[in-house]
Amino acid sequence: MEPLLVLTNLPDIASAEKLAHALVESRAAACVNVLAPCRSIYRWQGAVETAEEVPLLIKTTAANYPRVEEIVRTQHPYEVPELIATPITHGLPAYLDWLATETEKHD
């Protein structure tokens, strides 16, 4: 089991919570933290933009990453959403076991 921490940003709390629920309800993620809004400064289509965004921290596994990506691609309002995954190399074993159990498919 390879645990991952996945990051994305959404334009508002409502869309962030909707995406978080979709990820957890589908078991693509075990937990999603909806963080406080932050200010993002980035270059988009040749111009420097500033926007308030709501970050999500998505806890999942490498095996579930394709499902996470599919849900984000279909439900995210941005044309090109930020979606970055980083491996979780260390963690409380009981938590990592829970993460794996909560993201298993149940038919």
Side-chain angles (χ1 to χ4, degrees), residues 2-102:
E2 299 173 59
L4 294 179
L5 178 63
V6 181
L7 170 68
T8 193
N9 289 296
L10 286 107
D12 55 64
I13 292 287
S15 61
E17 288 184 355
K18 181 180 177 186
L19 182 57
H21 277 278
L23 290 163
V24 173
E25 289 169 3
S26 69
R27 293 188 173 268
C31 175
V32 178
N33 300 115
V34 179
L35 302 182
C38 68
R39 182 167 308 280
S40 296
I41 301 168
Y42 54 93
R43 184 175 301 280
W44 178 247
Q45 298 180 341
V48 175
E49 302 285 341
T50 301
E52 185 171 281
E53 295 185 299
V54 178
L56 295 185
L57 300 180
I58 303 162
K59 275 69 73 118
T60 190
T61 63
N64 282 303
Y65 179 83
R67 291 172 49 211
V68 169
E69 184 174 308
E70 178 184 348
I71 292 167
V72 170
R73 287 171 154 246
T74 60
Q75 297 194 22
H76 203 291
Y78 292 169
E79 181 181 340
V80 181
E82 174 182 11
L83 192 61
I84 299 171
T86 187
I88 298 172
T89 61
H90 296 79
L92 183 67
Y95 179 85
L96 298 178
D97 289 344
W98 170 82
L99 190 157
T101 299
E102 291 305 313

